[in-house]
Amino acid sequence: MKRLSLLSAAMVLASGIASADMQVVATDVIGVEGPQIVGNDLYYVSWAKETVNKWDGKNNSVVKEFPGCGPTGLTLTPSKTLFVACSADPGTIMEIDLKGNKIGQWDADKKGDKLAGGVNDMVTAHSGAVYATLWGQATKLPSKVSGKIIMFSPESKTWSVVAEHINYANGIGLSPDNKTLYVSAEVGNVVYKFPVNKDGTLGDMENFAVLGALSPTQYTDPWTGPDGIEVDRDGNVYVAQWGGGKILKISSTGELLKVIEVPGSSGTTNIAFSDDNKTMFITAVDDSSASIATGKIFKVEKQ
């Protein structure tokens, strides 16, 4: 028998995680993404219906419709408001209260540059700073590598560019100590990391994980790569694989720890953890290649 490489052995050990205990808490959500826990409620978005929604543990409801936004991400601020990432190009970032009333809106960074390509995902730091990804040029070859990370200053209430040249910037997450920022580059199927400086700016971009080397995707299209990112209290990085129907749990050192299969899905979009860190919520579409991306939200014990 041919001897397995260390990488192949790790892949075998990490695969085949059962998902039978997953509970479906929302169905038929077209373009489901952006899960965000707020107390006992789960907020999420439909990028196709252009709504922010809420599941209160029993029922799902529409909080507010935002025509022309194409929402793909949410993040909770220290003031218990939500920032909404609008993926419509050029992008917009809105701040809303928990009832959906708009508090603020930004259509450009502090230099006056539009949020080109649309805003994809966001994460809030302990300081109140917010990091957001800009997709960049959302076309296939030839195209510029123009994805960016922008940072919101809670003092100046403005956004500034803190990283550039990310190949279709998508999901984003912070380590528990807020010293490392992770971002997924959808083209190339890779996750990068950045050291976070004391002033919130970012150091040089580093490779964190080449996902194709850890676990194969369902499709060979190099434009189909990682989507949302969530980091748990232990520093493990959970990466939703668009076109993969699964979530990869990766240690802070880049080791694949677990593959979490999502039943009946070919496109996971994001993850959120409950406040007690015992439950995870997964947003996923049934068929990532479909023109109408109908999906579900799963609730499962954190793995």
Side-chain angles (χ1 to χ4, degrees):
M1 186 174 80
K2 188 174 180 180
R3 187 176 180 182
L4 288 172
S5 67
L6 291 177
L7 175 60
S8 297
M11 290 171 63
V12 170
L13 289 171
S15 64
I17 303 304
S19 55
D21 295 330
M22 288 189 178
Q23 174 189 352
V24 177
V25 301
T27 60
D28 300 323
V29 185
I30 303 175
V32 62
E33 197 162 7
Q36 175 65 61
I37 298 293
V38 183
N40 295 320
D41 298 323
L42 174 70
Y43 285 77
Y44 60 95
V45 301
S46 163
W47 75 72
K49 294 291 186 180
E50 302 196 302
T51 57
V52 173
N53 309 298
K54 182 177 73 172
W55 181 66
D56 63 7
K58 294 182 178 179
N59 301 303
N60 287 279
S61 60
V62 174
V63 176
K64 196 73 173 281
E65 182 180 359
F66 295 100
C69 169
T72 50
L74 297 171
T75 191
L76 183 68
T77 74
S79 302
K80 302 301 180 184
T81 63
L82 290 168
F83 276 23
V84 183
C86 295
S87 65
D89 188 11
T92 297
I93 296 170
M94 295 184 293
E95 183 178 11
I96 62 173
D97 64 22
L98 298 182
K99 294 182 178 180
N101 300 306
K102 190 185 296 185
I103 298 170
Q105 179 171 319
W106 296 266
D107 303 302
D109 63 24
K110 68 178 183 180
K111 292 183 177 180
D113 293 331
K114 295 291 186 180
L115 307 182
V119 188
N120 189 302
D121 201 6
M122 296 177 292
V123 65
T124 302
H126 301 326
S127 64
V130 177
Y131 296 90
T133 51
L134 303 185
W135 261 332
Q137 191 171 358
T139 58
K140 293 196 174 184
L141 301 176
S143 63
K144 296 179 181 178
V145 180
S146 52
K148 299 177 182 179
I149 300 174
I150 56 175
M151 183 187 76
F152 175 77
S153 165
E155 290 79 26
S156 67
K157 307 293 183 183
T158 59
W159 294 86
S160 57
V161 175
V162 290
E164 299 183 82
H165 309 303
I166 300 167
N167 212 350
Y168 213 48
N170 202 314
I172 193 166
L174 276 165
S175 62
D177 60 8
N178 279 201
K179 293 183 178 180
T180 304
L181 183 78
Y182 300 92
V183 62
S184 60
E186 189 169 345
V187 178
N189 203 23
V190 65
V191 175
Y192 296 115
K193 67 177 183 178
F194 297 83
V196 180
N197 301 320
K198 290 184 178 180
D199 63 356
T201 59
L202 303 179
D204 292 339
M205 182 169 69
E206 304 173 26
N207 285 314
F208 172 67
V210 179
L211 302 181
L214 298 181
S215 177
T217 59
Q218 292 178 355
Y219 302 110
T220 58
D221 184 355
W223 283 76
T224 301
D227 204 321
I229 290 176
E230 185 71 16
V231 186
D232 71 10
R233 294 179 185 176
D234 299 317
N236 298 309
V237 181
Y238 290 69
V239 182
Q241 286 210 291
W242 178 258
K246 57 192 172 185
I247 293 165
L248 305 184
K249 179 182 179 180
I250 305 170
S251 74
S252 60
T253 58
E255 176 189 359
L256 179 63
L257 301 176
K258 191 173 290 187
V259 176
I260 303 168
E261 303 287 348
V262 182
S265 168
S266 71
T268 51
T269 56
N270 217 324
I271 313 104
F273 300 129
S274 59
D275 287 341
D276 63 8
N277 204 42
K278 294 181 179 179
T279 305
M280 60 190 299
F281 295 88
I282 302 167
T283 54
V285 302
D286 302 335
D287 183 355
S288 60
S289 65
S291 58
I292 299 177
T294 304
K296 303 178 181 68
I297 301 177
F298 298 90
K299 176 184 178 182
V300 66
E301 183 179 346
K302 182 175 175 288
Q303 300 182 39

